Amino acid sequence: MKEMLGTTFHWAGFFFGGMAVIGSDVGGIQLPIFLLVGWATKYALTGRKGFFPWS
């Protein structure tokens, strides 16, 4: 269950990061924030260090 939740948060980080770049003037600032929060959540829940959700 933690594995699936961590992967979901990580995919959400990628999705919201992409939306921030496409739809915002400050997307360049929001992109790393969303990506790092998604990755950190996945790492905290699962212990996997891969940066991309599919790795």
Side-chain angles (χ1 to χ4, degrees):
M1 182 68 178
K2 290 190 313 184
E3 182 83 19
M4 188 171 66
L5 186 61
T7 303
T8 302
F9 272 104
H10 201 181
W11 275 109
F14 267 78
F15 176 74
F16 288 123
M19 292 289 108
V21 169
I22 292 170
S24 175
D25 293 336
V26 293
I29 296 169
Q30 292 175 341
L31 175 66
I33 293 170
F34 284 127
L35 291 178
L36 289 175
V37 166
W39 176 83
T41 304
K42 182 190 80 161
Y43 179 69
L45 290 175
T46 65
R48 292 186 310 159
K49 295 179 184 176
F51 180 72
F52 296 106
W54 53 86
S55 62

